[in-house]
Amino acid sequence: MPKILILETCIVNYRDDRGGVAEEAGALITVDAEQARLLTTHGRALYTSKGDDATKGRYTAPADVIKAAGAIAKEAAKDAAKSGADE
């Protein structure tokens, strides 16, 4: 299952009981191949690995972008944990 970087806040179908889930821009998520293809070809996401991209690069995010998204996600998780401890 490919991992993708969400570029625009959009609804993602994980094909489970949740139905469509709103994912924020910058989220790194894992979805099935069909959902990944749909989101990338419509400009909503980019693959994090060139091997998952059928076009071998057209819809793949540069490594520095993926690294920055990971750092932002870590900071957001740290802030969420901190604000949860403050309550």
Side-chain angles (χ1 to χ4, degrees):
M1 292 182 47
K3 190 170 188 177
I4 58 175
L5 170 64
I6 299 296
L7 299 176
E8 285 186 34
T9 300
C10 60
I11 302 295
V12 177
N13 184 353
Y14 286 97
R15 306 202 191 289
D16 59 15
D17 293 341
R18 297 177 289 178
V21 177
E23 292 290 353
E24 295 290 323
L28 291 166
I29 60 171
T30 303
V31 294
D32 65 17
E34 182 182 344
Q35 190 65 201
R37 183 192 56 76
L38 182 70
L39 290 169
T40 56
T41 57
H42 285 91
R44 303 287 191 235
L46 290 173
Y47 291 99
T48 59
S49 171
K50 200 175 202 178
D52 293 331
D53 185 354
T55 65
K56 301 301 177 208
R58 181 175 184 185
Y59 298 114
T60 303
D64 57 335
V65 171
I66 296 166
K67 188 176 178 180
I72 291 168
K74 281 184 185 179
E75 286 297 318
K78 195 183 300 183
D79 290 345
K82 185 178 180 182
S83 64
D86 292 343
E87 293 178 3

